[in-house]
């Protein structure tokens, strides 16, 4: 009887392990010969780069050039310190050897060319809804930049989290590949704002609270949350937090950093404004239009 129970437990363990292994397998939605990944436009890609706030994380720290994309910015988290990668065209230290498909798989699926899961500190949970045309254009822009030979330091995270396959389980629970959380209503300006806020700009990644697994709590989406570094609180940007701001107020803040109370945004948002200031006025208005349409939510508790 005891041997029978042990055999049954062993079979169950093998079945569960096999199921988890299959569920957590990295998925590559794009192949190198995908006909959708034709050459992009670098000038349009420059705007995608700005909208995505790419320079804020990937520019080499301690120097003023936002297009020197050597990475190595330290991102503190409850799980340890992550280091941003080099995304310059350098073939050894950066992504110079990547194809358009490699970039598309990273942004849409959170998977590296080596078929390993990226940690969700890289906001692919938002980027996953990016349009193929924007990915092609972003790739074209990145290829125009100067290669940087700097190698970022490795992540300094707990031993358990170094097992990348576990990220696949996180994805199974919290990641919806190819899906945007944007609420569309048919108005082109509003829907453009939904794409910029929810996808490329990944605003919810900072302005929301997270559960113990590091996933956004849906009821706090855009309602504010503790910064990933744990040293500040990102504000509520739904009408429950900035409801007194007009569409013009939001547009002005995205252009200049000036708030309607005659102050200026600070900390990491000041860096974001350096990017939104490069967008077209129409895109800033689109962002404002969408933020004004969000359901009002009470500010999340720190």
């Amino acid at each position: 009887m005891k041997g029978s129970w042990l055999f049954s437990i062993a079979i169950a363990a093998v079945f569960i392990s096999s199921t988890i292994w299959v569920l957590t397998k990295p998925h590559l939605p794009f192949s190198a010969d995908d006909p959708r990944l034709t050459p992009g436009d670098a000038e349009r890609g420059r705007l995608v780069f700005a909208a995505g706030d790419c320079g804020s994380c990937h520019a080499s720290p301690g120097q003023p050039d936002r297009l020197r994309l050597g990475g190595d910015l330290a991102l503190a988290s409850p799980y340890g310190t992550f280091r941003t990668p080099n995304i310059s065209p350098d073939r050894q230290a950066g992504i110079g050897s990547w194809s358009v498909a490699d970039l598309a798989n990273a942004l849409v699926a959170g998977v590296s060319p080596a078929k390993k899961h990226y940690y969700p500190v890289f906001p692919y949970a938002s980027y996953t809804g990016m349009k193929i045309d924007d990915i092609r254009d972003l790739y074209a822009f990145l290829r125009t930049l100067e290669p940087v030979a700097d190698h970022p330091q490795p992540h300094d995270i707990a031993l358990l989290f170094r097992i990348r396959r576990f990220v696949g389980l996180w994805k199974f629970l919290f990641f919806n590949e190819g899906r945007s959380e944007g609420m569309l209503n048919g108005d082109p300006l509003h829907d453009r704002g939904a794409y910029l806020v929810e996808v490329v700009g990944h605003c919810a990644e900072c302005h929301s609270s997270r559960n113990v697994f590091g996933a956004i709590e849906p009821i706090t989406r855009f309602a504010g949350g503790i910064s990933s570094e744990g040293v500040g609180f990102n504000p509520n940007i739904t009408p429950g937090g900035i409801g007194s701001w007009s569409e013009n107020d939001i547009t002005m803040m995205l252009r200049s950093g000036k708030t309607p109370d005659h102050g200026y945004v600070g900390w990491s948002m000041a860096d974001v404004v350096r990017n939104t200031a490069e967008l077209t006025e129409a895109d800033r208005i689109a962002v404002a239009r969408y933020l004004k349409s969000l359901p009002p939510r009470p500010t999340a508790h720190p």
Side-chain angles (χ1 to χ4, degrees):
M1 180 68 72
K2 182 177 179 180
S4 178
W5 272 106
L6 290 175
F7 179 75
S8 298
I9 292 172
I11 292 296
V14 170
F15 174 77
I16 293 172
S17 298
S18 300
T19 300
I20 292 175
W21 187 255
V22 170
L23 292 176
T24 60
K25 181 181 179 180
H27 170 239
L28 296 173
F30 299 96
S31 61
D33 58 353
D34 193 308
R36 294 171 292 174
L37 301 178
T38 54
D41 181 273
E43 184 55 29
R44 289 197 301 264
R46 181 185 66 80
L47 295 177
V48 178
F49 181 88
D53 204 26
C54 307
S56 296
C57 283
H58 294 283
S60 302
Q63 55 85 43
D65 186 356
R66 295 169 63 79
L67 298 182
R68 181 181 172 81
L69 303 177
D72 202 36
L73 178 69
L75 299 175
S77 80
Y79 318 104
T81 300
F82 294 90
R83 295 281 179 168
T84 58
N86 181 328
I87 61 168
S88 80
D90 188 271
R91 294 187 64 83
Q92 281 72 46
I95 61 172
S97 63
W98 285 26
S99 65
V100 186
D102 291 331
L103 181 62
N105 286 324
L107 292 168
V108 173
V111 178
S112 75
K115 299 183 180 180
K116 292 184 178 180
H117 294 297
Y118 282 120
Y119 294 108
V121 66
F122 171 39
Y124 56 78
S126 294
Y127 289 154
T128 189
M130 283 186 69
K131 298 175 182 178
I132 300 302
D133 286 350
D134 283 345
I135 295 174
R136 295 189 300 107
D137 293 343
L138 176 60
Y139 179 85
F141 175 70
L142 291 174
R143 300 286 287 186
T144 69
L145 303 180
E146 287 295 322
V148 180
D150 302 340
H151 287 271
Q153 300 175 63
H155 301 314
D156 183 14
I157 56 178
L159 184 62
L160 178 64
F161 301 119
R162 296 179 189 179
I163 304 174
R164 297 264 182 161
R165 197 68 181 232
F166 285 168
V167 179
L169 187 58
W170 184 93
K171 287 181 175 179
F172 176 75
L173 296 172
F174 303 112
F175 177 55
N176 295 305
E177 185 182 305
R179 176 183 171 185
S180 166
E181 296 295 329
M183 299 177 294
L184 309 182
N185 67 7
D187 169 33
L189 196 62
H190 170 279
D191 291 356
R192 172 65 175 171
Y195 178 67
L196 291 170
V197 170
E198 299 276 9
V199 181
V200 186
H202 58 280
C203 305
E205 300 286 343
C206 286
H207 291 279
S208 308
S209 295
R210 296 178 180 273
N211 61 24
V212 67
F213 300 106
I216 290 175
E217 290 277 14
I219 62 172
T220 72
R221 193 171 183 84
F222 299 112
I226 297 174
S227 72
S228 60
E229 296 85 358
V231 295
F233 189 84
N234 296 313
N236 182 340
I237 57 173
T238 76
I242 58 172
S244 63
W245 290 29
S246 68
E247 190 174 288
N248 186 62
D249 290 334
I250 299 172
T251 304
M252 178 178 65
M253 183 275 294
L254 295 172
R255 185 191 319 117
S256 66
K258 187 177 180 180
T259 62
D261 60 0
H262 307 293
Y264 286 86
V265 297
W267 199 37
S268 58
M269 190 62 198
D271 200 53
V272 171
V273 169
R274 294 180 66 182
N275 294 295
T276 56
E278 297 182 18
L279 302 180
T280 65
E281 186 70 359
D283 274 352
R284 286 189 288 267
I285 294 172
V287 169
R289 179 74 55 86
Y290 184 71
L291 291 179
K292 291 291 290 182
S293 76
L294 291 173
R297 288 181 170 141
T299 300
H301 294 291

